[in-house]
Amino acid sequence: MASENAEGLIELLVERFETQQLPRILELERSVAAGNTITEFEQEFLEAVCREAIQSKQLVDQFPQYQPLFARVVHLYRKITMQALENEERQIRTR
């Protein structure tokens, strides 16, 4: 029974990620790739999805089929964050 609950929960998390979070994340990726900085609201969004990823890691570990997706998502968060930081630093230097 607990396994069924965990499976239902992870399926719900993946669905929410695909429909709600992924579109915003990809939009942020394009924006920072174009050299833009992120707003405070976008930073808060990234922090929230990163916290959620950390909280869901234990659940993901129970389902190996989701581990590659989890790893790609974490890498994407890191990529966006690092690019946003570089953009912010560049903006500060040019002031």
Side-chain angles (χ1 to χ4, degrees):
M1 184 66 156
S3 173
E4 290 176 11
N5 288 340
E7 189 169 353
L9 179 57
I10 198 161
E11 288 173 1
L12 180 65
L13 289 173
V14 169
E15 180 182 333
R16 188 175 73 156
F17 172 76
E18 289 176 341
T19 60
Q20 297 176 16
Q21 296 173 342
L22 185 58
R24 288 185 66 193
I25 291 165
L26 293 176
E27 183 179 316
L28 275 175
E29 180 186 32
R30 286 188 295 273
S31 178
V32 297
N36 299 315
T37 59
I38 60 174
T39 66
E40 186 174 330
F41 179 73
E42 291 167 332
Q43 181 178 348
E44 290 172 4
F45 168 73
L46 273 176
E47 289 171 1
V49 294
C50 286
R51 271 193 308 277
E52 186 174 308
I54 291 167
Q55 292 169 349
S56 66
K57 176 68 170 106
Q58 197 170 29
L59 181 62
V60 170
D61 287 343
Q62 296 176 37
F63 298 93
Q65 67 270 30
Y66 292 106
Q67 289 175 354
L69 173 62
F70 181 85
R72 287 193 308 266
V73 168
V74 170
H75 175 74
L76 182 57
Y77 293 164
R78 184 179 190 292
K79 178 182 171 187
I80 292 168
T81 302
M82 297 304 293
Q83 184 64 57
L85 180 60
E86 287 178 25
N87 295 350
E88 185 73 28
E89 289 172 346
R90 186 178 320 106
Q91 187 180 55
I92 290 169
R93 284 192 306 266
T94 60
R95 286 185 186 166

